[in-house]
Amino acid sequence: MGEPNVWSTAHLPDGDGRSAGVNVNGYELDCEIPLDAAPEPEGATPFGLLAGSLSACTAMSVRTFLKRWRIDPGEVTVHVAFRPGSPPMMDRRVTVGADVDPDLREQLAVEVDHTPVTVLLRDALTIRTVLTTGAR
């Protein structure tokens, strides 16, 4: 059996370095392992990559849903912030450029809450979502 179509490998060199080289499906990036007491590093972090997975999955799902209804979504922006704690939480702000009527907007909100990464994460943490549609 061959390699799965989604894979990732991390390599942390010997020593005290706090930067892991990460390869995701052939795309290389660095991932900073933050110190407990230090502010977040400038680059990608493990939680930042998790937030990126949720935001990318949400944006693509929103666009696919609206195109199915023959609505040009315009610009779609999804901002996700990870908030550690007990329980941990992610704040997700979804902004869609297109005007969406109230009934379809309700269906879109349900779609956002059922994206593949949302479903994967929701048993482990709370995801609080704010959805805004139309030019403002």
Side-chain angles (χ1 to χ4, degrees):
M1 201 152 100
E3 186 77 21
N5 65 356
V6 177
W7 56 271
S8 177
T9 303
H11 176 75
L12 187 60
D14 189 22
D16 294 333
R18 302 200 60 83
S19 180
V22 179
N23 184 311
V24 180
N25 289 1
Y27 179 77
E28 300 276 341
L29 66 138
D30 288 327
C31 183
E32 298 294 319
I33 314 316
L35 295 169
D36 290 337
E40 284 293 308
E42 294 290 320
T45 65
F47 285 127
L49 293 173
L50 185 63
S53 295
L54 180 61
S55 61
C57 180
T58 302
M60 290 183 280
S61 295
V62 165
R63 175 164 286 158
T64 300
F65 175 83
L66 291 175
K67 290 219 176 240
R68 201 173 331 142
W69 286 93
R70 294 183 173 85
I71 295 173
D72 179 3
E75 185 172 313
V76 177
T77 304
V78 181
H79 179 269
V80 175
F82 184 81
R83 304 204 184 280
S86 183
M89 182 170 33
M90 292 181 125
D91 286 324
R92 173 172 55 185
R93 288 192 322 262
V94 180
T95 305
V96 178
D99 285 320
V100 179
D101 72 59
D103 289 338
L104 191 59
R105 187 183 182 287
E106 190 174 312
Q107 291 178 45
L108 177 59
V110 170
E111 183 76 14
V112 165
D113 284 337
H114 288 87
T115 66
V117 175
T118 301
V119 170
L120 184 69
L121 294 176
R122 70 177 164 209
D123 288 338
L125 50 82
T126 300
I127 301 171
R128 184 173 55 193
T129 302
V130 174
L131 172 63
T132 305
T133 60
R136 293 188 187 242

